Amino acid sequence: MSDEAVGRLAALRTALDLRARDCGRKPEEITLVAVSKTHSADEVWPTIRDGGQTVFGENRAQEAMTKWPDLRARAAALGKTIELHLIGPLQSNKAREAVETFDVIETVDREKIAAALAEAMEKTGRRPRLLVEINTGAEPQKAGVLPQDADAFLRLTRETYGLAVEGLMCIPPAGELASPHFALLGEIARRNGLLSLSMGMSADWPLAIPLGATHVRVGSAIFGARG
Ligand SMILES: *Cc1c(COP(=O)(O)O)cnc(C)c1O
């Protein structure tokens, strides 16, 4: 199973490079975030040891805290540094754990979280990189800042909480063409001077490359279907 993940990872990297070149982009501008949620450390390890993958995404802080300290240590023993992204919702009472566990938090989406992260960063001295999640489809059940509130929220994170947000993330509505959502995310980033765009998953990453994705978050295309 794990050998399969290593093979799928290699094939995905080749496809990503090809797609980037076809879109007139440099492959090295695009970071593959391998989404390892629900997969055990033993399933993930071969992609680090044999696949050379070092950037991973988890959607639950709790799961990441049980899985990654050991994986990080094993990677470090091979001279590899892991970069772990939080790509799922964050509760403000878990801000400290998140700041201590993750290198990048992609899901900043409300004032309470911004405040809690600022406080946790102050207390721990750790400064994970931050992205703001935008609810591009304005779906009521979905996390993220509404597009029309994005500029004001970004100003608030900078001016009130002193957070250096570096980019934006989105999850387009299921069953809709993703491209307009990716384009909207790019527009919001451009007018706010943000450089990172986390967009594109297993089913739609090829659409995100021509629209400026700097990070694609791919899980099942590497690790297989989740149980
Ligand atoms: C699970 C998840 C992914 C990866 O989805 P796949 O379809 O398995 O590639 C990407 N982003 C977020 C926010 C996720 O929760």
Side-chain angles (χ1 to χ4, degrees), residues 143-171:
V145 178
L146 292 173
Q148 65 267 30
D149 299 335
D151 297 0
F153 183 71
L154 287 162
R155 223 171 17 248
L156 181 82
T157 59
R158 276 195 280 262
E159 292 174 5
T160 305
Y161 297 102
L163 299 174
V165 171
E166 70 165 46
L168 304 177
M169 174 274 218
C170 77
I171 310 167

Side-chain angles (χ1 to χ4, degrees), residues 37-111:
K37 66 187 186 197
T38 76
H39 296 285
S40 69
D42 286 345
E43 286 175 273
V44 175
W45 175 240
T47 64
I48 301 172
R49 184 192 55 202
D50 308 323
Q53 182 68 23
T54 55
V55 184
F56 290 88
E58 290 281 345
N59 70 333
R60 291 172 58 216
Q62 196 60 44
E63 180 180 343
M65 284 165 63
T66 59
K67 212 155 90 188
W68 281 95
D70 179 51
L71 280 171
R72 273 192 203 272
R74 290 161 79 184
L78 300 182
K80 296 168 192 272
T81 304
I82 297 296
E83 178 181 301
L84 191 60
H85 291 231
L86 176 63
I87 60 169
L90 177 60
Q91 275 147 27
S92 55
N93 64 356
K94 293 277 159 41
R96 188 182 175 120
E97 285 94 328
V99 162
E100 287 170 338
T101 305
F102 295 95
D103 304 293
V104 183
I105 296 174
E106 299 200 12
T107 51
V108 181
D109 70 346
R110 53 195 191 277
E111 182 165 5

Side-chain angles (χ1 to χ4, degrees), residues 19 136 170-173 175-187 190 199-200 203-212:
R19 180 70 176 144
T136 56
C170 77
I171 310 167
E176 266 184 45
L177 183 64
S179 294
H181 297 275
F182 296 158
L184 174 60
L185 201 70
E187 268 170 47
R190 259 189 302 284
M199 55 192 199
D204 55 17
W205 68 261
L207 298 177
I209 305 299
L211 292 166

Side-chain angles (χ1 to χ4, degrees), residues 172-225:
E176 266 184 45
L177 183 64
S179 294
H181 297 275
F182 296 158
L184 174 60
L185 201 70
E187 268 170 47
I188 298 170
R190 259 189 302 284
R191 68 173 184 248
N192 285 283
L194 300 174
L195 299 176
S196 297
L197 282 175
S198 173
M199 55 192 199
M201 320 203 313
S202 292
D204 55 17
W205 68 261
L207 298 177
I209 305 299
L211 292 166
T214 60
H215 296 77
V216 293
R217 309 177 309 268
V218 178
S220 47
I222 299 169
F223 294 105

Side-chain angles (χ1 to χ4, degrees), residues 2-24:
S2 302
D3 296 345
E4 282 176 32
V6 173
R8 283 189 294 245
L9 174 64
L12 175 65
R13 283 226 196 86
T14 303
L16 256 170
D17 278 21
L18 203 61
R19 180 70 176 144
R21 286 181 218 284
D22 280 349
C23 296

